[in-house]
Amino acid sequence: MGLVEWTRLSGEQVEELVAVLLCRKMPKMVRIRPSAGDKGIDLLVQKQNNTLEVYQVKKFATNLTASQRKQIQNSLSRFEQYRIERSVTISEWHLVLPLDPTHENLEWLSELTADLPYTCDWRGLSFIDGLAAEFPDVIDYYIRDGRQRLEDVIGKLTSIAGMGLNNENSFASLTQLGNYLQKIYPLLDTDPHFTYKVSIGPSTEDVESAPGAILTMTQSDKSPENHTLTIHVFPRFAAALDFRPIPIDITIHAKKDLELQHKLTDFFKYGTPISAPIGTADLKMDLPFGLGGDIFGAGLTLAPTLDRSTPKQVLRMVTLDPNDNIISSILIDMDTPTFGITGTGARRIGTEQNGVFTIELLMDIPSNEMMIKVQKINIEGRAPHDVIDGLSFLCSMYTPNRIAIAAPRGPITNVTSFSGAPSALELDQLLLLKDAATSLIAIQDNTTTQLMVPDIITKEDLANWRAAKRLLAGEQLTGELTGGTVHLHPDVPTPNGKFAIAFYSDLSVTVGSTVVSLGKTLNHCPKVEVDPHSIHPHEDHIDCKIRSVDGALATRQLLKSTVIS
């Protein structure tokens, strides 16, 4: 394949073609559309150290004029404004255009970028021609006859085989379909934007989407075997849909389904994902190479478009009492925001940094009001020290308390009232979980055995952990003595009447399947008696139970160990 004649292409062709080549080379690269206010950025890559590498693509293929140099300078100035406003860290900035630089060009760029806190360079014709040689399918598709040739050939194959996806006699036999797929696979593999996984199997009601697929489509034949063709479409790079959108006209029938109507409202306003059940959606699709068509009575899942150019954020969420005293503070790892089609709302999902819960923030843009929804509370299998902050935050989410969202450090502003706080029943459950975590922390501080919050916490567990916490804090517990068993040697007579008793016992608790020993306690009750119905002689001893009488209460206190120096 010959070299690309860049000077014969329009500026739009040059920039799109170079951008696709860069995206194929770096599949995680994100494209910023100029229509969305690109701030001088065309493409960017988020690196492992959370810095951004930026590629500014320009169409200039002949020696730069003063006007063209001014355009590059303006793009860089807009980018600098973007960098400062968003407080992003840039590691590299690359000017990419189909023109190798002269010494004068390099000197000009060096002077232009001398004061910038990141590396800047010029990547010219040699660099781009190298990408073109590495990805000839991109060149063939965009500036030669690759796209039309593939669509024509596939159209002829489907016509000859009589197996169009929307043909009533489609897929007459498995053998016929297999031959068709063998012919079409090499052609589909030349698509520069997408890859495909095609499978044949028995018809099922549920369709499993493949991880990473942007579209999953099924079609069943009318044969006795009821074969089903499933096509999964995968993007070759993150920005594939920016360059080759898949237009889909969707009609969702929700007049008789109030819940679905509410979900549609949230999708249009906030970009909240929605799943419409089978039978409620009609679609018209334009898939690559004519693989689309009309589908009626389908099920459908819609997910929002993410603003992938915005790096993930860490935010601080704070609850305050009516006097603006801080009650609790946590850090939230926020995903990139989504926006509804109407442009009046935004949505962000965040996860408490120890994974205790996820939270959904719904912002009404015109009124600047926010609704908070707590989701997926999960403390099972986590260390108690790691869950207490998250639980404390949730337990403080009630009126008249208020909430604020701020940067990880610095002043707290934009304090607002709650909307979407836990119900009274949910709050009671959260308080019990917080109580359990607090008790387990006290126990953990007195053992080297790593404790984890168990899947099931019974009332008995909670009572035992509370008691252990109080004993470990030096408290003396008071209560009725019941069920105490005494082993008497054969030469020791069974006590008669009422008497006082003092004895030592082990202090231990069970956390899940882990038994934790915490020391010994001294127990005392001033008035007890033997339960006459509990006396049970053995060959070498007698067992009996002791119980308190006349309202006498027993005390229990942890024995402190003595350190000898």
Side-chain angles (χ1 to χ4, degrees):
M1 181 178 293
L3 296 178
V4 178
E5 296 183 25
W6 298 99
T7 56
R8 295 192 175 186
L9 302 180
S10 68
E12 183 178 343
Q13 282 180 301
V14 170
E15 292 184 355
E16 183 171 21
L17 180 52
V18 172
V20 173
L21 289 170
L22 286 167
C23 288
R24 284 291 297 273
K25 184 67 175 179
M26 291 164 279
K28 293 184 179 181
M29 179 173 280
V30 176
R31 181 193 186 193
I32 308 303
R33 298 181 183 179
S35 59
D38 68 334
K39 301 291 186 181
I41 305 172
D42 285 307
L43 301 157
L44 56 83
V45 179
Q46 185 160 342
K47 306 183 79 171
Q48 290 184 347
N49 58 1
N50 290 324
T51 64
L52 296 179
E53 182 177 2
V54 181
Y55 288 77
Q56 172 72 65
V57 180
K58 289 296 183 184
K59 61 188 177 183
F60 313 133
T62 58
N63 197 30
L64 295 184
T65 64
S67 173
Q68 292 168 343
R69 287 196 297 270
K70 186 64 175 178
Q71 290 182 49
I72 295 171
Q73 183 177 350
N74 290 340
S75 294
L76 188 56
S77 297
R78 290 194 301 270
F79 166 63
E80 267 298 281
Q81 181 181 354
Y82 167 91
R83 179 185 70 85
I84 295 170
E85 288 175 352
R86 299 204 179 190
S87 299
V88 294
T89 304
I90 308 301
S91 59
E92 299 171 61
W93 180 89
H94 309 288
L95 175 63
V96 185
L97 66 169
L99 175 69
D100 284 331
T102 64
H103 290 297
E104 290 78 8
N105 291 149
L106 293 178
E107 289 177 359
W108 166 78
L109 183 64
S110 178
E111 292 176 2
L112 179 65
T113 61
D115 296 330
L116 299 179
Y118 43 85
T119 302
C120 300
D121 66 10
W122 179 310
R123 299 197 174 182
L125 179 62
S126 300
F127 171 75
I128 295 175
D129 279 345
L131 295 177
E134 187 173 353
F135 302 105
D137 56 314
V138 176
I139 305 302
D140 191 37
Y141 183 92
Y142 274 92
I143 62 174
R144 299 195 170 96
D145 61 350
R147 177 175 182 172
Q148 188 62 51
R149 183 175 66 253
L150 294 176
E151 291 182 351
D152 289 346
V153 171
I154 291 175
K156 290 178 182 178
L157 284 173
T158 55
S159 176
I160 293 171
M163 295 181 294
L165 283 177
N166 305 301
N167 190 308
E168 291 184 357
N169 300 316
S170 63
F171 311 140
S173 72
L174 187 61
T175 302
Q176 193 178 16
L177 178 58
N179 292 336
Y180 169 74
L181 293 177
Q182 286 181 359
K183 293 178 180 179
I184 202 173
Y185 255 131
L187 297 168
L188 289 176
D189 196 45
T190 62
D191 185 341
H193 310 108
F194 307 107
T195 59
Y196 304 83
K197 178 182 178 182
V198 183
S199 60
I200 308 167
S203 179
T204 60
E205 293 185 1
D206 298 325
V207 178
E208 293 187 4
S209 180
I214 57 172
L215 183 68
T216 298
M217 184 177 64
T218 66
Q219 179 73 35
S220 299
D221 65 11
K222 297 182 179 180
S223 67
E225 295 83 3
N226 196 25
H227 295 124
T228 297
L229 171 69
T230 301
I231 300 177
H232 297 296
V233 183
F234 301 88
R236 289 187 185 272
F237 50 90
L241 286 172
D242 292 332
F243 297 98
R244 202 307 184 183
I246 298 180
I248 303 178
D249 292 331
I250 301 172
T251 301
I252 298 179
H253 305 282
K255 289 184 179 180
K256 298 181 180 180
D257 191 332
L258 291 178
E259 182 181 359
L260 184 56
Q261 291 178 28
H262 290 311
K263 290 180 178 179
L264 280 169
T265 299
D266 285 348
F267 173 76
F268 284 111
K269 184 174 182 64
Y270 303 110
T272 304
I274 179 176
S275 292
I278 292 176
T280 61
D282 299 335
L283 300 91
K284 292 184 177 181
M285 297 184 295
D286 175 21
L287 290 178
F289 304 134
L291 293 177
D294 298 346
I295 298 177
F296 300 98
L300 182 68
T301 297
L302 297 174
T305 299
L306 295 177
D307 181 6
R308 293 168 297 187
S309 65
T310 302
K312 291 187 177 182
Q313 266 184 306
V314 177
L315 295 179
R316 179 170 43 135
M317 298 191 72
V318 179
T319 51
L320 304 99
D321 66 17
N323 296 319
D324 286 341
N325 298 310
I326 294 177
I327 303 172
S328 65
S329 177
I330 56 169
L331 294 178
I332 301 283
D333 292 323
M334 302 299 299
D335 288 340
T336 52
T338 65
F339 299 90
I341 296 173
T342 63
T344 61
R347 171 180 178 266
R348 295 193 80 170
I349 295 292
T351 303
E352 192 270 337
Q353 282 206 330
N354 288 308
V356 173
F357 62 87
T358 60
I359 196 165
E360 181 183 44
L361 308 180
L362 300 176
M363 171 65 76
D364 182 81
I365 294 174
S367 66
N368 200 34
E369 293 180 355
M370 180 179 294
M371 177 180 288
I372 299 172
K373 295 182 179 180
V374 177
Q375 305 169 335
K376 299 179 183 178
I377 299 172
N378 181 19
I379 64 172
E380 300 166 4
R382 304 180 190 278
H385 285 80
D386 291 339
V387 304
I388 190 61
D389 288 343
L391 290 174
S392 297
F393 176 83
L394 294 176
C395 289
S396 63
M397 288 183 64
Y398 59 86
T399 55
N401 296 338
R402 295 184 298 162
I403 193 169
I405 300 176
R409 295 177 181 84
I412 297 172
T413 57
N414 300 319
V415 179
T416 184
S417 300
F418 281 103
S419 177
S423 66
L425 180 60
E426 292 170 331
L427 186 58
D428 287 343
Q429 293 295 318
L430 289 169
L431 288 170
L432 288 175
L433 292 177
K434 178 185 175 184
D435 188 7
T438 303
S439 298
L440 288 176
I441 287 173
I443 296 169
Q444 180 68 83
D445 289 342
N446 287 272
T447 179
T448 57
T449 302
Q450 178 61 63
L451 303 181
M452 297 296 180
V453 179
D455 297 345
I456 298 175
I457 301 174
T458 65
K459 291 182 179 179
E460 183 181 3
D461 288 334
L462 189 53
N464 290 337
W465 299 345
R466 285 172 175 165
K469 173 192 170 187
R470 294 177 62 190
L471 288 168
L472 290 167
E475 291 187 43
Q476 178 177 279
L477 303 187
T478 303
E480 185 178 354
L481 181 64
T482 59
T485 301
V486 176
H487 301 280
L488 301 176
H489 292 290
D491 57 344
V492 177
T494 303
N496 292 318
K498 301 173 183 178
F499 57 94
I501 188 172
F503 59 92
Y504 298 109
S505 64
D506 292 326
L507 174 60
S508 63
V509 294
T510 301
V511 181
S513 60
T514 302
V515 178
V516 183
S517 296
L518 298 168
K520 290 186 177 294
T521 60
L522 174 62
N523 308 270
H524 173 262
C525 188
K527 191 177 292 188
V528 299
E529 68 178 5
V530 173
D531 181 356
H533 301 291
S534 69
I535 299 174
H536 186 68
H538 295 275
E539 291 183 1
D540 59 346
H541 70 280
I542 296 174
D543 286 342
C544 61
K545 290 185 180 294
I546 304 296
R547 63 189 181 191
S548 57
V549 293
D550 298 340
L553 296 178
T555 60
R556 189 182 187 195
Q557 191 167 9
L558 184 67
L559 291 175
K560 295 184 178 180
S561 58
T562 302
V563 179
I564 302 176
S565 58

